[in-house]
Amino acid sequence: MSQQTIANFEWDYGVPAFYRQIQVSDEHIDIMGHTNNVVYVSWLEDVAWGHSKALGLGWEKYQQLNRAMVARRHEVDYLAATFAGDDLIMGTWIVENDAKLSITRRYQLVRVGDGATVLRGCTKWVCVAIDSGKPKRMPPEFVDGYVVTQQ
């Protein structure tokens, strides 16, 4: 999908800082015949991790710094069902970075066929030391890398 096509959707925070294309498959469908709610949360993590890697903040860098961002809280608003065969675009933006311990990331999931927003989400991430799991101040690489989207 081209950047021009992506730009044509109505994004909450402008064209996404990072996005991932998703196709709903049979394995995502639950007993109700639509995408299971747990699947959406896994897509939030997938796009967040993809964005981190694109920023040069993948697992290897996390290990070098002995720091990682871990989810503290997810908020998900399910706005419309999706079904097997649906093509989706999940966009993400960093909307807050306190340059100390936490960042806030927003998500928007759009159905390509009709441009409808089917989900909005938010995750509060906290910086921890990998070796202890305890909250630790962000290294400069996180402060500089997890840049807040300018609106």
Side-chain angles (χ1 to χ4, degrees):
M1 185 162 295
S2 72
Q3 273 295 108
Q4 182 60 39
T5 302
I6 299 298
N8 288 335
F9 294 114
E10 291 187 36
W11 297 106
D12 294 342
Y13 298 93
V15 176
F18 184 83
Y19 67 90
R20 179 134 358 223
Q21 297 176 342
I22 299 166
Q23 184 173 56
V24 181
S25 67
D26 290 338
E27 69 188 31
H28 301 133
I29 304 304
D30 64 17
I31 198 165
M32 297 290 294
H34 55 73
T35 306
N36 186 280
N37 61 313
V38 174
V39 172
Y40 291 107
V41 175
S42 72
W43 291 341
L44 299 180
E45 180 184 8
D46 183 59
V47 76
W49 192 238
H51 186 210
S52 289
K53 288 190 232 179
L55 294 171
L57 296 171
W59 180 243
E60 185 176 292
K61 189 62 158 180
Y62 275 25
Q63 289 178 307
Q64 289 172 359
L65 298 170
N66 187 35
R67 295 290 185 279
M69 298 304 290
V70 297
R72 179 172 180 216
R73 177 183 175 91
H74 291 295
E75 295 176 18
V76 181
D77 294 319
Y78 302 99
L79 305 173
T82 61
F83 304 93
D86 282 350
D87 290 314
L88 311 170
I89 302 289
M90 173 79 78
T92 189
W93 304 262
I94 305 294
V95 296
E96 295 175 14
N97 181 338
D98 70 5
K100 296 174 188 162
L101 287 175
S102 67
I103 65 171
T104 302
R105 181 184 289 280
R106 294 273 178 185
Y107 312 87
Q108 184 178 354
L109 186 62
V110 173
R111 187 172 36 232
V112 173
D114 61 4
T117 295
V118 298
L119 175 143
R120 286 189 174 91
C122 177
T123 303
K124 300 280 188 181
W125 297 89
V126 175
C127 186
V128 299
I130 293 171
D131 62 1
S132 70
K134 294 183 180 181
K136 293 287 183 181
R137 190 172 188 93
M138 281 186 218
E141 291 87 345
F142 284 19
V143 174
D144 297 338
Y146 291 118
V147 177
V148 173
T149 298
Q150 300 301 314
Q151 299 174 33

